[in-house]
Amino acid sequence: MKKALWIASFLALAATGGVAQAGGDVEAGKAKSAVCAACHGADGNGSANALFPKLAGQHPKYIVKQLQDFKAGARKDDTMAPMAAPLNDQDMENLAAYFSSQKPKIGEAAADKVELGEQIYRAGLAKGVPACIGCHGPTGSGNSAAGFPSVSGQNAAYVAKQLKDFREGVRSNDPNSMMRGVTALMNDHDIEAVAQYVQGLH
């Protein structure tokens, strides 16, 4: 009887440990994140340079995919490529666990861009631009299962650059070319407006 209980306890602990490792370890991620702080902030809420994204509260699955893409060259960035190169899969999982556990800080949208930005986000544009809300949700929280990132409170400058990069084909790691299709008919004015809107969205 004691042996059976011991085996059951051991199996339960092993299973728990396996799940924790597969999902990433927050403390290990925090220790590993020290090098990330200069650009993304110690708590993942960004630095003084708004071209660097906030990572706090982002879906772990999305963070891992971006790190994998930077490492593999599927997403190009001169700063991130060498940062991702030495990371193994567990490092990525741990970093994702840490940053996703942090509370995001919401910014403020530029008042003169909110109306158009909200229109694009919630209803799209008649010229064929679909609404952002379909994938990123009413509060910008995204959809982890589908791999759609949270955009709530994200730096407007970063969002605008990514949208322009998708439009120009500079960035091409979007599943099924979804973002390239969305941005194809957006002009700079449209992009700046929706980027400002999501900066204050929560």
Side-chain angles (χ1 to χ4, degrees):
M1 182 66 177
K2 287 182 179 179
K3 184 176 181 180
L5 287 172
W6 181 86
I7 292 173
S9 298
F10 175 80
L11 290 173
L13 285 170
T16 302
V19 170
Q21 185 178 20
D25 182 278
V26 172
E27 289 305 314
K30 182 178 181 179
K32 195 79 178 176
S33 74
V35 71
C36 312
C39 295
H40 300 290
D43 63 352
N45 272 293
S47 65
N49 189 337
L51 285 171
F52 298 136
K54 296 179 181 180
L55 301 178
Q58 187 58 267
H59 303 302
K61 179 178 177 180
Y62 183 78
I63 294 175
V64 169
K65 182 186 185 301
Q66 300 313 303
L67 289 173
Q68 290 172 339
D69 286 355
F70 283 127
K71 183 172 182 174
R75 182 175 175 184
K76 310 291 185 184
D77 187 274
D78 291 340
T79 300
M80 282 303 304
M83 298 305 239
L87 300 176
N88 60 38
D89 289 346
Q90 192 61 55
D91 292 333
M92 294 180 186
E93 293 284 355
N94 293 343
L95 284 166
Y98 171 66
F99 283 120
S100 67
S101 73
Q102 300 303 295
K103 184 176 177 60
K105 295 176 182 175
I106 308 302
E108 291 185 16
D112 62 331
K113 294 184 170 64
V114 170
E115 186 176 352
L116 176 59
E118 183 174 17
Q119 178 190 334
I120 296 169
Y121 190 89
R122 299 194 176 279
L125 292 171
K127 59 184 175 180
V129 177
C132 312
I133 197 173
C135 294
H136 297 287
T139 62
S141 60
N143 184 324
S144 179
F148 302 145
S150 169
V151 295
S152 173
Q154 187 57 266
N155 291 328
Y158 172 77
V159 173
K161 183 180 186 306
Q162 298 313 303
L163 292 176
K164 290 173 184 176
D165 283 353
F166 278 126
R167 184 185 63 189
E168 305 304 325
V170 174
R171 181 174 172 184
S172 58
N173 71 329
D174 50 328
N176 302 313
S177 302
M178 290 178 68
M179 287 304 303
R180 282 170 282 175
V182 167
T183 55
L185 297 175
M186 296 179 77
N187 59 37
D188 286 356
H189 186 61
D190 301 331
I191 285 175
E192 295 293 342
V194 78
Q196 280 293 331
Y197 180 70
V198 300
Q199 182 168 266
L201 181 62
H202 61 283

